[in-house]
Amino acid sequence: MARLASVCGVISGAFMVIGLKGGGDDKERTYALAREFVDRFKAVNRSILCKDLLGYDISTVEGLQKARQDNAFKTVCTKYVEDSCRILEELLGTKMQRCGV
C-alpha cells in the first residue's frame, strides 16, 4: 500500500472483503475472520509484509526500480492474490469473482 513496504495490499483488500461479506454488523466476527485470514496467509507465505513477500524494499527508490526491472509485481504478486482469493473462499464459503489474474 502506497509503496510503504509494510502490510501487503492484498491483505488490506481481503480485510475489506471480510468486512463486507463476512462479518456484517458483528465486529467481533469480522475481527476473528480477519485474524484467521492472516493466520492462514502466513502459514502459506510466512509473512504479510510486502518487503518480505516481494523480496524488495519498494519504499526506497532503488528497491522499487529493482522490483520493476525484475517484473516482480507480475511474477511474484500474482501468487499472493491467488492465495488470498482461495483463503477468502474457504473462510467465507463463497466463490470470489475475478480472482484469476
Side-chain angles (χ1 to χ4, degrees), residues 2-90:
R3 294 190 198 125
L4 297 173
S6 187
V7 174
C8 174
V10 78
I11 304 300
S12 300
F15 282 10
M16 287 187 269
V17 170
I18 290 168
L20 290 170
K21 293 196 172 265
D25 292 330
D26 185 348
K27 192 182 288 189
E28 291 307 315
R29 175 169 160 68
T30 302
Y31 291 166
L33 285 169
R35 283 190 299 273
E36 179 67 19
F37 175 88
V38 167
D39 290 344
R40 291 185 187 196
F41 191 90
K42 279 181 164 180
V44 174
N45 298 300
R46 84 194 175 286
S47 181
I48 62 169
L49 299 178
C50 174
K51 145 171 57 173
D52 296 338
L53 295 169
L54 192 58
Y56 302 88
D57 184 353
I58 61 169
S59 69
T60 68
V61 172
E62 298 82 15
L64 179 60
Q65 287 175 342
K66 183 70 172 142
R68 285 180 173 159
Q69 176 186 8
D70 293 347
N71 205 22
F73 299 109
K74 292 194 180 188
T75 59
V76 177
C77 296
T78 301
K79 177 195 181 315
Y80 303 125
V81 172
E82 291 170 350
D83 289 345
S84 176
C85 288
R86 182 185 44 76
I87 294 166
L88 285 169
E89 288 173 345
E90 292 169 2

